[in-house]
Amino acid sequence: MKTIATWLAENALPAGNGYDHFRNKLKSDLVVLSDTDFAYFCEHATLVEPHVRINDATGTADDGGLFFTENLPPESLMIAPLLASQTRTGKGNELEAEAVMTQVCS
């Protein structure tokens, strides 16, 4: 059975030697977190950058001009499960779950 990291390394990146480094990084460095651990990571390990919008006329911060941005490291890869069920439009043109998933993935 393949690990998630191996499957991603084989399927999530384009073919070619130019991506070998990233395939190897996925296989050796991928970390999968539970929801609880991910919440802790988001709270304590994200980059928080303060920003201040300065008023040119007064040289002081504008009202509401102090704000923060929170960013994940650029090499972060986020994945989530994707589920589909039969559509239920009531118009007689329902799609089976497999067809829904095909449309979403394409």
Side-chain angles (χ1 to χ4, degrees), residues 18-91:
Y19 294 93
D20 285 344
H21 170 77
F22 298 105
R23 280 189 202 87
N24 292 333
K25 289 295 283 179
L26 273 175
K27 289 178 184 177
S28 64
D29 297 343
L30 179 69
V31 176
V32 178
L33 301 174
S34 68
D35 288 346
T36 304
D37 290 339
F38 183 69
Y40 180 87
F41 172 79
C42 288
E43 186 173 343
H44 298 284
T46 54
L47 176 63
V48 178
E49 297 176 330
H51 299 273
V52 179
R53 185 175 48 246
I54 303 296
N55 183 312
D56 288 335
T58 64
T60 60
D62 277 338
D63 285 339
L66 175 62
F67 62 97
F68 297 87
T69 58
E70 298 177 19
N71 301 298
L72 290 173
E75 62 275 4
S76 298
L77 174 66
M78 303 192 63
I79 61 172
L82 180 62
L83 306 173
S85 63
Q86 177 182 349
T87 60
R88 295 173 187 88
T89 63
K91 298 178 183 176

